[in-house]
Amino acid sequence: MAAMLLSTSVFAQDSAATLAERLARVMRLDQFVVQGAAAQHLANPKSAGSEEPTDKQRLDLLRCLEHADTSKVIQALASVAAQELSVGEMNVALAFYASSAGKKQMQRELVEAQRGYGYELAGASPSLSSDERERLERFRKTPASAKLEEIPLRLRETPDSRKAVYMGGDMVATNCLRHLGFPRD
């Protein structure tokens, strides 16, 4: 009986971890981290060199970051998500982000973050239809949405996860910058 309870508990943990990883990937949380890390490097003249990157260099950097291996960042973000959200809440969030409204909203948020990071070439933000806006508003009223909004705060409160996320993001950004020939100190 104890073995059965233990195996059920492990299965539930694996299930939550798998859902949390899928959620972090669908929400593209890794891209927020690595693009922010790259922007910090570019904002530091000692790291980025004395010349402002060209538009082509910025686009190349965004492409590199989008295709880089961010699995360590995803795993660290997923561990925080798994601690914060129930399996049911993760399923609600996954269903929303799999919808056209969720995909467009994620793209909108990523474009806005890119602009905030100084990537003015991020592209156009997709518009939402009235049905999609309604679906977004319904999702924003769910406990899953509220808890997702809290993840950055929870991340700051969890030193090991915070370190894994930001070190992983910095490593990915540094590798892309080197690969593209940006000067490094």
Side-chain angles (χ1 to χ4, degrees), residues 5-20:
L5 287 174
L6 180 61
S7 69
T8 302
S9 172
V10 169
F11 177 74
Q13 288 174 351
D14 287 345
S15 178
T18 300
L19 286 173

Side-chain angles (χ1 to χ4, degrees), residues 3-4 7 9 13 15 18 27 37-38 43 49 56-57 62 74 85 88 99 106 123 150 157 161-162 181-182:
M4 186 171 125
S7 69
S9 172
Q13 288 174 351
S15 178
T18 300
M27 291 181 67
K56 181 184 181 322
Q57 287 174 314
L62 281 175
I74 288 285
L85 283 83
S99 72
M106 220 43 265
E150 294 290 318
E157 294 172 351
S161 294
R162 181 181 66 232
F182 283 82

Side-chain angles (χ1 to χ4, degrees), residues 15-25 74 77-79 81-82 90 94:
S15 178
T18 300
L19 286 173
E21 188 171 321
R22 281 183 44 213
L23 184 57
R25 285 186 192 287
I74 288 285
L77 289 165
S79 85
M90 285 188 270
L94 281 166

